[in-house]
Amino acid sequence: MHELSLAQEIISITEQYYSSDNNERVKSIKVKIGKLQNVLPDSLEFCFNALIQNSKMENAKMMIEHVPIKLECKNCGNISEQDGYLFACPKCGCSAITVISGNELTVSEIEFENVSNNKEVLN
Ligand SMILES: [Zn+2]
């Protein structure tokens, strides 16, 4: 299960920025996923939501930003965006290409909310 290990990784990355003693709660996590990673977003979300159950990260929302596949031709320098897995330059047909984007798998943003502040409002 590709998506399960990805979800685990996203959580462990978030935990590195997260300290439980400053009354903060994870509100949302933005994840950048390149198309080449072949991730099923629904499945990733399902695994993520299952893993954060009853944890300090419970109720955190994951937002997925999809990064398209961009290729640069080594022959003619043409940069193209590709939807499928055709790894050849659409301009000259050359297959010597460099992947510029589409391989990403990063946590790009973590939003925290302060729990103690919320309490003060409630009281
Ligand atoms: Zn080319």
Side-chain angles (χ1 to χ4, degrees), residues 2-44:
H2 186 42
E3 280 77 10
L4 180 62
S5 56
L6 278 183
Q8 272 163 341
E9 203 179 313
I10 290 164
I11 289 167
S12 75
I13 290 169
T14 306
E15 277 171 345
Q16 289 169 19
Y17 296 95
Y18 178 57
S19 118
S20 56
D21 46 46
N22 55 4
N23 292 318
E24 279 184 331
R25 196 186 283 165
V26 181
K27 197 179 174 191
S28 65
I29 303 165
K30 263 190 199 160
V31 190
K32 272 189 181 175
I33 300 173
K35 252 195 131 167
L36 283 171
Q37 293 287 341
N38 232 339
V39 173
L40 297 171
D42 287 350
S43 171
L44 178 62

Side-chain angles (χ1 to χ4, degrees), residues 72-78 88-97:
E72 185 178 5
C73 177
K74 284 179 182 170
N75 185 40
C76 72
N78 181 52
C89 172
K91 208 173 168 189
C92 71
C94 180
S95 58
I97 41 144

Side-chain angles (χ1 to χ4, degrees), residues 3 19-20 24 27 32 40 46 49 55 60 62 64 70 73 83 92 100 116-118 120 122-123:
E3 280 77 10
S19 118
S20 56
E24 279 184 331
K27 197 179 174 191
K32 272 189 181 175
L40 297 171
F46 177 82
N49 289 334
S55 83
M62 181 176 59
I64 299 172
K70 263 191 193 162
C73 177
D83 214 28
C92 71
I100 304 172
S116 64
N117 275 354
N118 288 354
E120 272 168 33
L122 287 171
N123 289 338

Side-chain angles (χ1 to χ4, degrees), residues 52-110:
I52 60 171
Q53 288 271 320
N54 303 316
S55 83
K56 282 178 254 164
M57 248 184 256
E58 200 174 31
N59 300 322
K61 272 189 110 175
M62 181 176 59
M63 289 175 282
I64 299 172
E65 188 189 329
H66 298 277
V67 183
I69 304 167
K70 263 191 193 162
L71 306 172
E72 185 178 5
C73 177
K74 284 179 182 170
N75 185 40
C76 72
N78 181 52
I79 293 174
S80 60
E81 210 170 280
Q82 308 232 351
D83 214 28
Y85 296 90
L86 179 75
F87 289 107
C89 172
K91 208 173 168 189
C92 71
C94 180
S95 58
I97 41 144
T98 312
V99 176
I100 304 172
S101 76
N103 251 326
E104 293 79 356
L105 189 63
T106 50
V107 175
S108 59
E109 212 181 298
I110 305 166

